[in-house]
Amino acid sequence: MNRLRALLGAGRPVLLDGGMGTLLQDGGLEAGVPGELWNLENPDEVRAAHAAYADAGARLLTTNSFGGTRPRLDLHGLGERVGEVNRAAAELARSVADEHGLLVAGGLGPTGELLAPLGTLTPEEAQALFAEQLAALVEGGIDLVLVETLSDLAEADAALAAAREVAPGLPVAVTMSFDTNLRTMMGVRPGDAVTHLAAAGADAVGANCGRGPAEMEVIAAEMAQARTDDVLLVAQSNAGLPQVVGDHFEYDATAGDMAVHATRLAELGIDLVGGCCGSTPAHVAAMGATLFPASPGTPDR
Ligand SMILES: [Zn+2]
């Protein structure tokens, strides 16, 4: 039995949330400061971002812990606080989710190290890094595991092994970024990711980040062709590509563009639909309004 299907019940697609980084920057996070630090030092701003996505109609809130593995926190001198940072990330999302009757996805990104043969990290070391982060997210009260933006199937396997080790009862979703000619940086095709990761025990497989909604729809179609009955599919596109506007970047897909995109994903049978970089609560609200026109603002979607 697919554990995520059991958790979500009926009703498709399920609306996920969108990007976190942009919201924190709008809230005053300075360049070079990791957003994860705000779980400890500016929790109200993190909570406000989650609440904005809850109000936009997202049914799952993703913890602010994308860069929460030890090597990535080490880049900012925070490696020793990995437990604290991730526990707080989960507790913040949990508190908002409980107020709105929502679910919490514990978000994990790449370890920040390359596995052999391109790098030196062993599969066992990668598993240990994921397990360390995930244990803290579990303590903070997550409902499922969401491993995002991977490029390497071996790293995905290590994350799945860590989930089996630390959170055997929780559903696991793994998404990869197919940002290089419709493949990951490591050359993985969408269909091959679905086949491999479903066999490796993922409850959901998908694509996130990338080069915008148009490419995501091509990727989603390839994933849909490779799916088996017992795996759910996820798509969380960036809101287009970043364009330089004055002294900052703006993503070029509007909320309306993302709403049209959400409809196309639903037609392809994608089960969980959300956004990634550059997508805001306004984008997610527009996606929800299009997907669920009869029930704006109701929580029982
Ligand atoms: Zn992204």
Side-chain angles (χ1 to χ4, degrees):
M1 177 61 187
N2 186 297
R3 296 168 297 180
L4 187 56
R5 184 174 280 141
L7 180 67
L8 295 174
R12 295 289 183 273
V14 169
L15 189 60
L16 305 177
D17 55 8
M20 175 64 79
T22 332
L23 297 190
L24 297 186
Q25 282 155 23
D26 289 348
L29 181 71
E30 288 172 20
V33 177
E36 290 79 11
L37 183 59
W38 272 19
N39 296 327
L40 301 174
E41 297 196 344
N42 199 349
D44 288 347
E45 204 63 49
V46 177
R47 200 178 281 115
H50 287 313
Y53 280 118
D55 291 340
R59 205 177 141 204
L60 264 73
L61 303 179
T62 305
T63 58
N64 179 38
S65 51
F66 178 78
T69 54
R70 181 178 286 264
R72 295 192 56 146
L73 292 174
D74 267 338
L75 297 174
H76 307 281
L78 297 169
E80 293 307 314
R81 303 180 78 179
V82 59
E84 201 185 343
V85 164
N86 286 287
R87 203 158 39 244
E91 287 168 354
L92 287 169
R94 179 84 268 159
S95 69
V96 177
D98 285 347
E99 287 167 14
H100 293 81
L102 307 177
L103 296 170
V104 175
L108 296 84
T111 59
E113 307 266 340
L114 291 176
L115 274 81
L118 289 176
T120 57
L121 198 66
T122 67
E124 294 74 23
E125 287 166 342
Q127 179 179 339
L129 292 172
F130 284 126
E132 178 181 45
Q133 179 181 12
L134 186 52
L137 291 169
V138 169
E139 282 175 27
I142 61 173
D143 298 302
L144 65 141
V145 180
L146 175 58
V147 190
E148 300 182 288
T149 327
L150 296 189
S151 297
D152 183 353
L153 285 174
E155 189 169 15
D157 288 341
L160 283 164
R164 271 194 299 276
E165 173 194 344
V166 178
L170 297 187
V172 186
V174 180
T175 62
M176 305 188 87
S177 176
F178 301 94
D179 56 4
T180 309
N181 297 320
L182 305 177
R183 302 183 185 194
T184 73
M185 202 169 57
M186 302 291 188
V188 180
R189 292 184 177 89
D192 295 339
V194 172
T195 302
H196 177 98
L197 295 172
D203 299 275
V205 180
N208 77 306
C209 218
R211 299 179 54 81
E215 282 204 9
M216 181 60 81
E217 288 158 25
V218 177
I219 291 160
E222 291 188 22
M223 293 194 303
Q225 279 201 329
R227 81 181 301 167
T228 57
D229 284 345
D230 203 42
V231 69
L232 302 184
L233 295 182
V234 188
Q236 294 197 276
S237 177
N238 285 356
L241 289 170
Q243 314 288 339
V244 178
V245 178
D247 62 349
H248 66 287
F249 289 106
E250 282 181 15
Y251 284 77
D252 62 6
T254 64
D257 294 337
M258 290 298 279
V260 172
H261 170 61
T263 307
R264 294 196 180 125
L265 294 177
E267 287 165 1
L268 289 166
I270 303 301
D271 300 279
L272 297 106
V273 169
C276 196
C277 304
S279 61
T280 66
H283 291 86
V284 169
M287 295 168 89
T290 303
L291 291 173
F292 315 107
S295 56
T298 58
D300 58 339
R301 36 175 89 133

